[in-house]
Amino acid sequence: MEDLTKLDPRFVTVTRIRAALATLPVLIAAIVLESADLLPLGAIVVPVVLLATFIILRIPLRRWAACGYDMGSDRLRVVRGLLFRSDTVVPFGRVQHIDLDESPLERAFGLSTLTVHTAGTHNASVKLPGLASDDAAAMREAIREHIKRETL
Amino acid sequence: MSEAAIPLGVPQRTNPVSVLAQGAAALRNAVFPVIAVFFGSGSRSYSVLLALGIGALVILVGTLASYIRWQRFTYSVGEQDIRVESGVFSRAARSVPYERIQDVSLEQALIPRLFGLVEVRFETGAGGKDEMKLAYLKESEGEALRELVRAQKDEVDQVVTGPEADSDAGDAAAPATAPAEVLFAMGPKRLVTFGLFEFSLAVFAVLGGALQYLDSFLGIEVWDPDLWMEWLAGPGDWIAQLGPVAQALGAVAGLIGLLFVGSVTGLARTVLRDWGFVLERTAKGFRRRRGLLTRTDVVMPVHRVQGYDIATGFLRRRFGWHGLRFVSLAQDAGGASHDVAPFAQLDELAPIVAAAGFDMPPAELEWQRGSTANRNVGIAIDGLLPGLIGLVVLWLALGSSIEELDGKWGFALIPFGVALFLVLRQAFLWRFARNAIDRTQIYRRSGWLAPATAVANRVKLQSVEIAQGPIAKICGYATLHLGLAGGSFAIPGIPLERAKALRSSVLSSIATTDFSQLTED
C-alpha cells in the first residue's frame, strides 16, 4: 500500500464490538442447540466459537490493515475492502457536500465517519469511517476551504 | 416583520408549530391501528374505548418523537455555508456551501399548508434523496431564507457567474425566443423504417396475459392441453391429411404472420412515441418534442449534458442506423438518458454531438483492449457449468446405468454446444470491448452483435474508483468506475496498470475545473 494514512487504531476496537454484537445471536443459538444434546459434546459450540473468535479478533484487524486514505492537496483517496477492494479518488472540486456522522459506539471511542457526496450516480457518497473526531473535523474544514477557494 | 432577521451563524430551530404539523401526520399513522383494534377486539363494550386509547397513544408517541427531533434539530446560516445538526441518539452535522446550492425550492403539502408552513429544500444536484431540507419554516421565513441564500450565492459567485437565469431552466416546457435551429427531425418515412426495425413480439405477451384473464373469468382452462387437443382435433386432423407440401406452406405462412404481427406492433409503438420528432437548439438549450397522443416537450440546458451514448442493433447496424442519447443531470421521463436522435445515420449524429460541445470518436483514436486474464476467467466461468453437465451426460450415456440414456451420447452435444457458444461469446465480447482516451474525452466500446459506444467528457466526471474482486486481484485486472452525473460509466476487465493510467489522466483533467464552473453555461 503506497503512502496511505492508516485509520485510527480505535477503529479496530469499534469493528470488534460490532462483530461481537453481530455474532452474539449465532453464539446463543449454538449454545441452545448444544444443550439440546443432538450431537456429541462440543460438536456445534466448538467450531462456532472458533469461527466467531476469528471474525471478532482477526477480521477487524485485517480490515483495518486493508483500509487507508490519502488527503492530497486537491483530492481525497479512500482505499477499502478486504475481499472486494475499491480504491476511490474524489477531487475536492467535485464534492457536493460533506457529512460528519458519529454513531453512539463511535462517539464512545471519539471516532467519526466522514462522508463526501458527489453528483455522480456511481459513488454518490464516499464514506470514510474510523477517523478521530478532530481529524475528521479538520478534514471537513480543509475540503470546505478548498471548495471556497476554487469558486472564488 | 421577522423577514431578513435571520442571524448569521447562530444555530436555530425550525418553527415550533412543525411539531404539531408532524403530529397531525401521526394521525394518519394512527388510523390503521385504531381500525385493527376496533375490529380485532370484536364488538365488545370497551372496544371503542380501547381503539381510541391506542389511537391517542400512537398520536402521543408520534408527537413526542417529533418534539424531541425538533429539539435536537438546528440549522445555522453561515457566511459560507448552511449547516444542519440533527439526530437524537447519533448526531449528524451537514454543511452545504453556498456555491453548491443550485436552487432553493419551497414545497407545501396539505397539512403544513393549513398551518402556514413550508418545507425548504436546498437543491445541490446530489440526486434527490440526499438533498438537505428544513421542515418546516413559516412561509415568510422560507421566502426570506431563499432570498438570503440567493443573495449569498451571488456574492460568493460574482466572479464566475454569468446571468443567473439558467439555474432553474429545468425540464419544463419553455417557449424559445431566439430562432431555433433544427438539429434533427424524423418524418413519417423515417419513422416507418424505424418502426420496422423496432420489431417486437410484445403483443404475444399481452395476448398471453389476456388469455390468463379469460382463464380465471370465463372458466376456460387455457393451459389445459386437453382443451387444445379438442380444438385441434377437427382442423388438426384436416391439416394432417394435407401432405408435406401444404404443411410446409402452412408453417411459412405462420412465420410470415408472426413477422407481420411483430412489425405492426413495433411500428405502432414507435409512431405513438416518436411521431413528429423534432430536436432543436434553442437559446435555453436542446428542445425535443415528440409523441402522437402524449406529446412531450423537454428542454435541456447544454451544460447539463455529461456524456453521450451511440447504440445500434444487430440488424439495423447493417444499414448504418444508430441511436444517440445524451446522459444528463436531469432525468428524462423514466429513463436516465435523453433520446436525442433515436434513429439516424452517423453523419447526421455528428452535428448534434458537436452542438452539445462533444466530439465524435476520432478515427485515429488509440483503442485498447481489456485484459486477456479477464477474458480467460469469463470463458472459464461461462463454459464450466454447461461443460460439466455435458461430461456428466456423456458419462451416463456410456456408463449406461440409466436405461433411457444408454448409448445415446448425442444428448451430450446439447450442453457442449451451449458451452461452445458461451465461450465464443466471451471471446467475441473481449474482442469488441475497447477503451480509449484523448485530450478531452474518454471512450468505451462494448457489445458483440450490437455494439455501443459511450463517451464522457473528462472534465465533467465526479470521481474515479478502481474496484477489484478476489479473482480480479489475483489475475491483475480491475474495473474502472467513473462517477458520471445522471449515468454510469464503467470500464470492466482492464489491466490494473491501464486502470491506473486512465485514473491519473482523468484526475488531472478534473482537478483543473471546479464543479461550480461546470454548471455555468
Side-chain angles (χ1 to χ4, degrees):
Chain A
M1 206 57 57
E2 337 84 74
D3 54 278
L4 286 174
T5 317
K6 287 274 161 233
L7 300 182
D8 194 290
R10 286 171 287 184
F11 180 61
V12 179
T13 321
V14 170
T15 24
R16 276 188 178 150
I17 294 174
R18 276 200 197 125
L21 289 176
T23 46
L24 200 62
V26 182
L27 274 178
I28 293 175
I31 291 170
V32 169
L33 273 180
E34 186 71 34
S35 58
D37 274 338
L38 293 172
L39 290 170
L41 188 67
I44 299 170
V45 160
V46 170
V48 168
V49 167
L50 282 179
L51 192 67
T53 321
F54 180 72
I55 290 174
I56 294 168
L57 293 183
R58 186 87 185 117
I59 300 234
L61 201 63
R62 290 198 45 198
R63 192 172 287 285
W64 176 79
C67 283
Y69 67 94
D70 180 40
M71 186 83 177
S73 60
D74 61 353
R75 61 192 70 166
L76 172 68
R77 179 170 169 215
V78 178
V79 179
R80 306 184 56 179
L82 254 182
L83 216 50
F84 290 87
R85 298 194 53 73
S86 88
D87 181 344
T88 311
V89 179
V90 182
F92 295 159
R94 295 294 178 277
V95 172
Q96 292 295 315
H97 51 255
I98 314 154
D99 276 346
L100 213 54
D101 295 305
E102 314 180 325
S103 69
L105 191 62
E106 282 177 323
R107 194 157 22 151
F109 286 88
L111 295 178
S112 296
T113 299
L114 182 81
T115 311
V116 291
H117 296 261
T118 73
T121 309
H122 184 83
N123 272 335
S125 48
V126 177
K127 270 184 201 277
L128 178 56
L131 296 171
S133 294
D134 296 343
D135 290 353
M139 283 167 74
R140 175 176 77 176
E141 292 311 311
I143 299 174
R144 214 181 46 72
E145 272 302 313
H146 182 96
I147 294 174
K148 179 159 170 50
R149 215 173 37 243
E150 278 296 310
T151 35
L152 277 178
Chain B
M1 9 146 238
S2 70
E3 267 163 291
I6 301 174
L8 285 183
V10 182
Q12 293 177 83
R13 298 220 166 86
T14 51
N15 195 298
V17 188
S18 45
V19 175
L20 277 183
Q22 276 154 0
L27 201 69
R28 208 173 37 202
N29 297 341
V31 169
F32 265 113
V34 167
I35 293 175
V37 169
F38 183 72
F39 287 102
S41 61
S43 39
R44 298 201 192 88
S45 53
Y46 57 85
S47 59
V48 175
L49 275 179
L50 188 68
L52 288 181
I54 298 270
L57 194 71
V58 171
I59 294 171
L60 193 72
V61 170
T63 314
L64 200 68
S66 60
Y67 173 74
I68 295 171
R69 267 205 303 275
W70 173 77
Q71 268 272 326
R72 303 279 288 171
F73 184 98
T74 57
Y75 69 95
S76 56
V77 182
E79 283 184 10
Q80 290 144 18
D81 57 358
I82 293 188
R83 288 173 184 222
V84 164
E85 296 197 15
S86 64
V88 180
F89 297 110
S90 52
R91 299 284 288 168
R94 171 174 286 188
S95 115
V96 181
Y98 288 119
E99 301 86 34
R100 291 294 185 264
I101 300 177
Q102 306 285 324
D103 200 10
V104 181
S105 68
L106 305 178
E107 201 174 287
Q108 276 189 310
L110 180 64
I111 294 172
R113 195 167 179 180
L114 295 177
F115 290 101
L117 299 174
V118 286
E119 182 178 292
V120 182
R121 280 183 198 223
F122 300 95
E123 288 169 19
T124 59
K129 59 186 186 301
D130 257 356
E131 303 282 19
M132 188 168 83
K133 55 187 180 183
L134 304 176
Y136 301 97
L137 301 187
K138 246 190 339 209
E139 281 164 358
S140 59
E141 282 175 344
E143 288 288 347
L145 190 59
R146 172 151 75 174
E147 287 314 308
L148 188 119
V149 169
R150 282 187 175 161
Q152 291 278 13
K153 192 171 146 55
D154 283 350
E155 205 172 284
V156 171
D157 279 0
Q158 262 169 2
V159 193
V160 284
T161 321
E164 260 291 283
D166 66 7
S167 67
D168 54 353
D171 288 338
T177 41
E181 174 200 352
V182 176
L183 286 173
F184 181 72
M186 288 202 294
K189 193 173 161 227
R190 172 74 63 93
L191 207 56
V192 169
T193 326
F194 183 24
L196 290 178
F197 280 105
E198 290 281 277
F199 177 85
S200 159
L201 291 176
V203 68
F204 288 102
V206 176
L207 274 180
L211 281 176
Q212 199 112 45
Y213 179 82
L214 285 179
D215 188 39
S216 44
F217 281 87
L218 301 181
I220 300 174
E221 294 285 324
V222 176
W223 307 118
D224 181 4
D226 287 348
L227 176 85
W228 294 99
M229 287 306 216
E230 233 171 82
W231 281 9
L232 285 178
D237 270 350
W238 174 71
I239 289 172
Q241 287 159 6
L242 281 179
V245 177
Q247 277 178 10
L249 280 178
V252 168
L255 270 180
I256 289 173
L258 211 62
L259 276 175
F260 179 74
V261 172
S263 307
V264 167
T265 317
L267 199 59
R269 290 209 314 192
T270 309
V271 167
L272 281 177
R273 190 185 59 219
D274 286 333
W275 181 261
F277 190 103
V278 182
L279 179 78
E280 290 166 329
R281 174 83 163 87
T282 68
K284 285 210 156 198
F286 293 104
R287 181 182 189 199
R288 186 199 67 196
R289 281 168 293 172
R290 68 172 179 181
L292 184 62
L293 301 178
T294 349
R295 195 140 176 85
T296 59
D297 186 341
V298 176
V299 174
M300 175 178 28
V302 175
H303 69 257
R304 289 214 180 164
V305 180
Q306 308 287 318
Y308 68 88
D309 290 317
I310 295 180
T312 181
F314 168 60
L315 207 58
R316 69 188 72 174
R317 178 179 163 210
R318 316 283 154 199
F319 302 89
W321 297 112
H322 293 81
L324 175 70
R325 291 151 76 92
F326 280 165
V327 179
S328 152
L329 260 171
Q331 302 261 306
D332 198 4
S337 306
H338 292 253
D339 275 317
V340 284
F343 195 68
Q345 298 286 335
L346 278 178
D347 54 336
E348 289 175 297
L349 296 182
I352 309 176
V353 167
F358 284 79
D359 297 315
M360 292 294 272
E364 69 278 5
L365 212 54
E366 279 178 40
W367 292 97
Q368 298 221 7
R369 288 206 176 122
S371 118
T372 46
N374 176 49
R375 176 195 61 185
N376 298 342
V377 168
I379 285 176
I381 290 176
D382 273 15
L384 201 63
L385 186 69
L388 275 180
I389 293 176
L391 283 181
V392 169
V393 172
L394 198 64
W395 175 72
L396 285 178
L398 298 178
S400 83
S401 52
I402 301 172
E403 291 254 328
E404 285 83 356
L405 273 174
D406 189 16
K408 293 177 182 160
W409 55 269
F411 277 120
L413 286 179
I414 298 170
F416 281 140
V418 172
L420 187 70
F421 172 76
L422 289 178
V423 163
L424 280 178
R425 181 176 160 272
Q426 280 292 342
F428 274 104
L429 283 177
W430 175 81
R431 269 186 68 87
F432 287 93
R434 291 171 193 204
N435 61 82
I437 190 165
D438 64 12
R439 269 183 38 255
T440 52
Q441 302 181 133
I442 182 159
Y443 308 82
R444 183 202 61 204
R445 230 163 56 183
S446 59
W448 165 22
L449 296 172
T453 310
V455 180
N457 187 315
R458 278 169 66 160
V459 172
K460 287 183 174 181
L461 295 169
Q462 310 291 326
S463 65
V464 189
E465 175 186 350
I466 295 179
Q468 283 184 299
I471 301 177
K473 216 166 107 187
I474 296 168
C475 302
Y477 61 88
T479 298
L480 185 74
H481 290 281
L482 300 171
L484 187 65
S488 64
F489 198 109
I491 308 180
I494 52 176
L496 190 59
E497 288 315 310
R498 172 73 174 161
K500 283 187 173 161
L502 286 176
R503 176 171 76 174
S504 67
S505 24
V506 166
L507 281 172
S508 68
S509 310
I510 298 181
T512 56
T513 322
D514 188 68
F515 184 84
S516 58
Q517 272 137 300
L518 295 181
T519 51
E520 316 299 332
D521 203 354

